[in-house]
Amino acid sequence: MQSVTARSICVVWCLPLALQLSMAMVLERQGNMPSERQSKDQAPPIKESAQPPVDQPREDSPGKQVPVKVSPKEEAWHTLETACTGEKVTDRANATRVLGLVRNDVKATKLAEKALSDPKPEVKAAAAAALGDMNSRRSIPKLKKALDDKNPAVALAAAHSLHLMRNNSAYEVYSEILAKQRKGGKGLISSQMSTFSDPKKMAQMGFEEGIGFVPFAGIGWKAIKEVRKDDSSPVRAAAAKVLADDPDPATTKVLEEAAGDKSWLVRAAALEALARRGDPSALETVELYILDEKDVVRYTASASALRLIASKEAKPEARKAKQKTVK
């Protein structure tokens, strides 16, 4: 009787446990083998190779910077402004000097006027010369002030520019050079007359940048030193500058070919001559040298391009004005 009771108690006690184990096994099988309804509702897993490609940011999306195409005019200004405000004195002087090719432009005038306050005399002399080349009459008061500069190169450059603009203030300096004494007793030039007989000192103070008595003065003292390396380059450079005034249209082609010369001296002179001729047809050639390996050529090409762009833009306006006059 006791054994029956014991067996009954065991069955009663074990039955719930057995039911739990059985239910657990059923649920596990259901988890591994989804029902037919579940398989219909759920999409089959997607293989990695079948996944759609990740959306690439469009060119106009904020996540991607689209390279902006820079025009030759913007590239030219960037080249000149970077050099004019750079740390290297030679870069500032050379870039400032060619600003004289950019006429009737407020930005070019302001850059040159700012350079008149540069701490280096060669840069100030280049600025004074550039203002004369661009015929900036608004800068006459600043050039008059530069006549009293302590460095004779700056005073001479300012005097040369004032003389180009028919301003009588220039005669004070030239009179001083001749008489060794300036009116008013300032004597800034005559006090350093000994430097004029020393070519090395002339080079250091940038004398050739502003006086304009050598045929390739606009290019600088490096042109003079090139004579020792290449006897023909300075001569051909001088010839290129003279050809700027040749009325024959065929000369433009000659200068365009010279712009590709192996000598940087000839390239710079040819580009400057093309700018002074004012023929917009040479613009494409000039633009090729804005990225020239030689800094002087880059600056000259940039200034020349700006001048020719202005000339090209001005011609349609001139034609319109002429048509209105005829009507």
Side-chain angles (χ1 to χ4, degrees), residues 26-144:
V26 171
L27 290 172
E28 185 177 358
R29 284 197 301 270
Q30 288 179 347
N32 293 334
M33 294 184 296
S35 64
E36 184 178 355
R37 182 178 180 181
Q38 286 177 327
S39 63
K40 289 181 179 179
D41 294 340
Q42 295 180 358
I46 300 175
K47 294 182 180 179
E48 186 177 351
S49 60
Q51 291 180 354
V54 179
D55 290 337
Q56 299 294 331
R58 299 185 336 184
E59 289 189 353
D60 58 350
S61 64
K64 182 178 180 181
Q65 292 184 351
V66 181
V68 180
K69 186 177 180 180
V70 179
S71 68
K73 185 175 183 178
E74 291 172 323
E75 182 68 34
W77 272 123
H78 175 72
T79 300
L80 289 175
E81 288 180 299
T82 301
C84 286
T85 57
E87 295 183 358
K88 291 181 65 176
V89 177
T90 53
D91 284 349
R92 295 202 306 275
N94 287 324
T96 299
R97 182 66 181 85
V98 296
L99 287 173
L101 293 173
V102 190
R103 292 190 163 194
N104 303 317
D105 190 280
V106 175
K107 185 186 290 189
T109 303
K110 286 183 176 179
L111 279 173
E113 288 182 340
K114 184 179 179 181
L116 280 176
S117 302
D118 195 276
K120 296 296 183 178
E122 50 265 56
V123 179
K124 289 192 285 187
L131 290 169
D133 282 345
M134 64 176 67
N135 196 35
S136 178
R137 302 194 66 81
R138 58 165 267 180
S139 306
I140 286 177
K142 289 181 170 58
L143 289 171
K144 285 182 177 180

Side-chain angles (χ1 to χ4, degrees), residues 291-311:
L291 299 177
D292 194 272
E293 61 182 10
K294 189 69 177 177
D295 53 2
V296 177
V297 179
R298 288 199 305 273
Y299 307 151
T300 307
S302 297
S304 299
L306 290 170
R307 179 162 174 162
L308 292 177
I309 289 171
S311 178

Side-chain angles (χ1 to χ4, degrees), residues 190-238:
S190 58
S191 64
Q192 300 190 42
M193 285 295 289
S194 60
T195 63
F196 297 160
S197 59
D198 190 331
K200 290 184 178 180
K201 289 183 179 179
M202 286 170 60
Q204 289 173 357
M205 69 182 187
F207 180 85
E208 77 294 344
E209 291 291 345
I211 196 64
F213 66 86
V214 291
F216 28 80
I219 297 172
W221 182 253
K222 289 182 181 179
I224 309 297
K225 293 193 291 186
E226 280 291 306
V227 175
R228 300 175 186 175
K229 300 178 183 179
D230 182 353
D231 290 336
S232 66
S233 291
V235 176
R236 287 186 292 121

